[in-house]
Amino acid sequence: MIDLKNIYIETYGCQMNFSDSEIVVSILENDSYKYTSDINSAGVILINTCSIRDKAEQRIWKRINQLKSLKKKNTNLIIGVIGCMAERLKNELLKTDVVDLVAGPDAYRDMPALIEKAKKNQKASNVVLSEIETYDEIKPNYFQTNGVSAFISIMRGCQNFCTYCVVPYTRGKERSRSPESIINEAKNLFEKGYREVTLLGQNVNSYKWDSNNEKVNFAKLLESVALISPLLRVRFTTSHPKDISDELIYTIAKYKNICNYIHLPMQSGSTKILKLMNRRYTREWYMDRIKAIKRIIPDCSISTDVISGFCSETEEDHQDTLSLMQWVGYDFAYMFKYSERSGTYAAKKLKDDVPEDVKGRRLNEIIALQQKLSYESNLKDVGKTFEVLIEGVSKRSGKQFSGRNQQNKVVVFDKEDAKIGQYVNVKITDCTSATLIGKILNK
Ligand code: 5AD
Ligand code: SF4
C-alpha cells in the first residue's frame, strides 16, 4: 500500500552521502514523514547522488529513467534528486518528466517545504550553498547501519581545490561542526549499543573549532571521542597528506580504541602530476608522512586513492605511481581513471590528453599491483591474532560472522556462540587478497 508520507531514499557515492541521507530522513521524520525500506510503499522517493566521476552520474541517470515506470503507476509519487548531482545539474534534472524536486547538500532543512511545493505540481528546487550549515543539532536516523558502527559527519565542504575535483563546487566551503555536538552524538550512539564511529570529513586534518573560550583541532577532537569509552572504536576519513600532523599520529598511537588505520590518498606518485593536481605536496613529502606513520604506529594499515591518466601523465609518471605504491605497500586502495568534470580547473585549463585505452591499461596495472600488495599484506597476518568487532553475518555463509580488525581488514570466522556487537579475539588461519579467515580464540 502506498502511503504518501512514506519516504524511501537511495544513496550513491561516498560515506558522506550515506551520513547525509540519515540527516535528510531525520529532518523529514521531524516533520510528518516516515522512513520506509520498501520503494513500492513510498509517496516520496529520494536519490542522493554523486558527481565525482562521469560514470557515477551515468549510473544515476539510468536509475532516474527506471523510476519513470513507478511514476506512471502512481501519479502522486514525488521523485527528488538530492546531493552533488542536484547541485551541479539542477536544470537538466528538473527538465525531465521524472524529477519533481532538487535539493543540494546544504538545503536539506528545506526538504519538507520543497516536497509540499512539489505536491502542488510545481517543480521545486533549492541548491543554495551555505558557509555555516553543519546540521549540528540534527540527530540522524541511522537507518542504514548494522547497529554496531555508524558515521558521524564532523565537517562539510572542501576548499582544497584539487584541480580534478568537483567537490568544492558541489559541497561548498569547508566548515566544522561543534565538538560538543559531535561528542554528544558519539556518546548517544555508544549508549544505544554502537561500538564503532567513523568521523567523516573531506579533509579531517583541517577540522577546526574556534569559539570564544575553546580551540579544538582534529587531534583534540579525536581524543575526546576516544575518551567516551575504551569499548568504542574510533575511525576517521579522509586525511589529506599535506596536513596530517605528527600530533595526530601520536594521538592515534596513544589510544588503543583509535583504530590503527589511515586512509591517505596519494592520487599520483609523480611530483609533476601532484603539482598539476594542486595537491600541495611532493612525492618526498608523502613518503616522509608514511615514514612517520610507520615509525609511530608500526602496525598501522594504510590505504589510498589513485587516479590513472590525469592530464599530461607520461609513462614515467605512471611508473612513479606504481613504484610509490610498491614502496608504501598499501593494504588497500580505491583506484580510478581520470574523469574530466566541467567547471574544475583541469577542465578549463588542462588538456585531458591521455587516450582512454592508455588510461585503462594504466589503471589495470595499478589494480594488478594493488591486488598483489593486498594479498602480501594479508599473508603477513596469517598466524596473528586480532581483536575483531563483530558486525554481522558473513555474506558467504550464514554459519559465519564477519567483522573488522583495527586495521580495517574484513575478518570472517565461525560464529561459535558469539554475538553481533561483541569484541572477539580471532586467530587468522588463511586469507584471500580481500579477506582474512580465522577462528575465535576466546570471548
Ligand atoms: N576523476 C577520477 N577520480 C576522481 N576522484 C576525485 N575526482 C576525480 C576525477 N575527476 C577520486 C580521488 C578522490 C576520490 C574520492 O575520488 O581519488 O580521492
Ligand atoms: Fe561524495 Fe564527492 Fe561524490 Fe559528492 S561528489 S557524493 S562529495 S564523493
Side-chain angles (χ1 to χ4, degrees):
M1 256 289 281
I2 291 169
D3 181 338
L4 295 179
K5 289 287 181 187
N6 274 351
I7 298 275
Y8 173 87
I9 183 163
E10 256 169 41
T11 310
Y12 295 83
C14 60
Q15 292 161 332
M16 196 68 95
N17 262 14
F18 277 80
S19 166
D20 279 3
S21 288
E22 299 182 342
I23 288 168
V24 169
V25 167
S26 169
I27 289 171
L28 288 167
E29 287 195 333
N30 285 339
D31 205 75
S32 52
Y33 295 90
K34 217 181 132 347
Y35 169 74
T36 175
S37 58
D38 171 20
I39 192 167
N40 294 312
S41 77
V44 181
I45 297 176
L46 300 176
I47 313 281
N48 193 358
T49 58
C50 176
S51 289
I52 199 116
R53 282 168 290 274
D54 185 52
K55 240 167 119 180
E57 286 193 350
Q58 293 312 324
R59 195 170 148 223
I60 294 161
W61 276 118
K62 235 177 154 171
R63 181 66 183 136
I64 292 170
N65 270 323
Q66 282 171 359
L67 293 177
K68 227 184 226 173
S69 62
L70 284 181
K71 222 172 149 99
K72 276 201 190 115
K73 268 196 256 166
N74 169 14
T75 47
N76 290 323
L77 181 66
I78 304 285
I79 295 184
V81 175
I82 65 173
C84 290
M85 234 174 118
E87 192 67 45
R88 214 176 82 75
L89 300 171
K90 171 188 139 185
N91 293 333
E92 285 90 326
L93 289 161
L94 287 176
K95 255 189 245 154
T96 66
D97 50 8
V98 184
V99 180
D100 304 294
L101 82 86
V102 161
D106 288 340
Y108 297 150
R109 288 182 201 264
D110 204 18
M111 288 297 293
L114 293 171
I115 295 175
E116 280 314 306
K117 187 168 175 197
K119 277 185 187 161
K120 292 181 194 135
N121 273 328
Q122 296 167 30
K123 297 254 176 182
S125 73
N126 184 347
V127 291
V128 177
L129 287 173
S130 158
E131 293 189 7
I132 54 167
E133 179 63 271
T134 57
Y135 302 108
D136 208 32
E137 83 302 351
I138 306 273
K139 284 203 182 77
N141 173 330
Y142 305 101
F143 69 94
Q144 300 159 117
T145 71
N146 49 11
V148 178
S149 58
F151 295 127
I152 301 181
S153 166
I154 63 162
M155 56 206 292
R156 301 185 68 81
C158 178
Q159 55 203 47
N160 287 316
F161 289 97
C162 300
T163 56
Y164 50 79
C165 189
V166 77
V167 172
Y169 308 94
T170 58
R171 288 189 164 262
K173 275 204 174 152
E174 182 181 289
R175 64 221 99 119
S176 296
R177 184 178 161 193
S178 76
E180 197 193 347
S181 72
I182 296 166
I183 294 161
N184 281 340
E185 187 175 339
K187 271 189 190 150
N188 254 323
L189 282 162
F190 182 71
E191 278 156 18
K192 280 192 191 146
Y194 284 80
R195 289 295 172 261
E196 179 181 278
V197 293
T198 303
L199 308 182
L200 291 180
Q202 301 294 345
N203 175 9
V204 290
N205 307 106
S206 60
Y207 175 87
K208 199 170 95 195
W209 185 258
D210 195 350
S211 78
N212 308 338
N213 44 14
E214 210 190 0
K215 271 195 169 55
V216 181
N217 65 10
F218 183 60
K220 282 259 149 39
L221 176 76
L222 194 60
E223 179 165 50
S224 308
V225 177
L227 285 169
I228 291 173
S229 164
L231 287 177
L232 180 68
R233 272 189 176 178
V234 190
R235 298 184 186 274
F236 58 91
T237 197
T238 295
S239 293
H240 195 304
K242 79 176 160 62
D243 34 30
I244 181 163
S245 64
D246 283 4
E247 184 197 5
L248 175 68
I249 305 172
Y250 278 113
T251 306
I252 302 168
K254 183 171 167 195
Y255 292 93
K256 193 173 161 267
N257 57 327
I258 302 181
C259 289
N260 291 348
Y261 165 59
I262 298 178
H263 181 58
L264 198 68
M266 65 123 121
Q267 313 298 1
S268 167
S270 150
T271 296
K272 178 197 101 186
I273 295 293
L274 289 170
K275 191 157 190 339
L276 286 172
M277 288 176 163
N278 191 32
R279 291 289 287 173
R280 288 178 277 177
Y281 55 85
T282 59
R283 176 183 175 95
E284 288 69 32
W285 170 273
Y286 188 90
M287 290 169 84
D288 173 75
R289 295 293 74 208
I290 297 286
K291 277 187 206 154
I293 294 170
K294 292 191 172 177
R295 186 181 71 240
I296 301 167
I297 320 171
D299 67 341
C300 193
S301 73
I302 303 172
S303 64
T304 196
D305 292 346
V306 188
I307 298 177
S308 84
F310 187 64
C311 311
S312 84
E313 184 189 76
T314 62
E315 215 42 49
E316 205 187 330
D317 296 320
H318 170 57
Q319 289 304 325
D320 283 348
T321 295
L322 294 174
S323 70
L324 188 53
M325 288 175 69
Q326 180 75 50
W327 181 84
V328 178
Y330 291 110
D331 300 280
F332 189 78
Y334 299 91
M335 301 154 284
F336 316 103
K337 266 198 270 185
Y338 171 58
S339 162
E340 186 176 87
R341 310 312 292 133
S342 66
T344 58
Y345 179 92
K348 284 190 234 159
K349 303 276 169 133
L350 306 173
K351 225 165 140 200
D352 183 12
D353 54 0
V354 178
E356 207 42 42
D357 59 328
V358 176
K359 279 185 191 170
R361 194 253 305 149
R362 288 181 188 164
L363 179 64
N364 286 340
E365 289 176 13
I366 289 168
I367 293 171
L369 173 58
Q370 186 52 48
Q371 181 103 6
K372 175 182 92 93
L373 294 175
S374 297
Y375 187 58
E376 283 171 3
S377 157
N378 284 353
L379 264 186
K380 281 193 211 142
D381 289 338
V382 175
K384 290 186 192 165
T385 298
F386 293 104
E387 186 181 67
V388 175
L389 174 60
I390 305 180
E391 291 175 41
V393 176
S394 158
K395 280 184 205 122
R396 289 187 319 181
S397 156
K399 290 191 185 126
Q400 290 190 313
F401 275 139
S402 150
R404 274 171 300 154
N405 64 5
Q406 283 239 343
Q407 288 71 10
N408 207 34
K409 290 187 177 177
V410 174
V411 185
V412 297
F413 44 91
D414 285 346
K415 280 180 173 172
E416 317 235 343
D417 53 357
K419 288 192 174 61
I420 291 172
Q422 191 180 352
Y423 289 102
V424 283
N425 289 321
V426 177
K427 184 165 181 168
I428 307 306
T429 53
D430 200 0
C431 73
T432 67
S433 64
T435 315
L436 299 177
I437 300 148
K439 185 168 172 27
I440 296 180
L441 280 187
N442 58 0
K443 291 184 283 298

